[in-house]
Amino acid sequence: EMAQFRADDLVAFERVHSMLWRIWMAGPAAYIVSLLLNVWIFSRLRGSSDGGGTLSLMIRGAVASALSQAIDSVIFITLAFYGEFDITDLLIGQVIAKVALSFVLVPFLITGGVWLARKLDRA
């Protein structure tokens, strides 16, 4: 029964396999740029103060994460898939999802990290 789909399966496998090198290259490129951008934005948002309180850290972290994740998506999707199909919807969806998750999750992760660091300092 499965033999009737073999030709289509082979075409699909070959298409994915032919793009694999692009995906392998796009991942690290997007990650490195995103990581460096996140650190740079987080540092720049600090301004001339010494870092501020937990709320300031939460806001800086969320903004830095959202912007760097948006750039990560643009770099990865463009390098991996540009020219293979229309990437517009994929880009929009990825950017919206990553920005939303950055604003929802990062402040809580920072709060948890600050709490844990303070607890360990007391121990």
Side-chain angles (χ1 to χ4, degrees):
E1 296 285 331
M2 192 66 175
Q4 67 185 351
F5 299 108
R6 190 166 176 88
D8 291 342
D9 292 344
L10 186 56
V11 169
F13 176 79
E14 287 174 353
R15 181 169 185 198
V16 169
H17 186 67
S18 70
M19 294 180 352
L20 203 52
W21 69 271
R22 290 178 64 175
I23 294 168
W24 285 347
M25 298 304 243
Y31 177 77
I32 290 167
V33 170
S34 174
L35 179 65
L36 294 174
L37 184 61
N38 190 317
V39 170
W40 184 80
I41 293 170
F42 187 80
S43 177
R44 293 290 176 186
L45 289 175
R46 179 181 66 213
S48 59
S49 68
D50 63 354
T54 303
L55 182 60
S56 173
L57 286 172
M58 290 169 62
I59 293 168
R60 287 171 43 212
V63 170
S65 177
L67 292 173
S68 65
Q69 287 298 313
I71 296 301
D72 177 273
S73 291
V74 170
I75 291 171
F76 178 79
I77 291 169
T78 302
L79 291 177
F81 304 116
Y82 182 78
E84 297 295 327
F85 56 87
D86 182 13
I87 61 173
T88 306
D89 290 341
L90 182 59
L91 272 173
I92 292 169
Q94 284 283 309
V95 169
I96 290 171
K98 286 185 175 183
V99 168
L101 284 172
S102 292
F103 281 110
V104 170
L105 293 179
V106 169
F108 294 108
L109 293 172
I110 289 174
T111 303
V114 169
W115 173 83
L116 181 61
R118 287 180 180 158
K119 184 173 177 147
L120 292 173
D121 280 348
R122 284 187 237 125

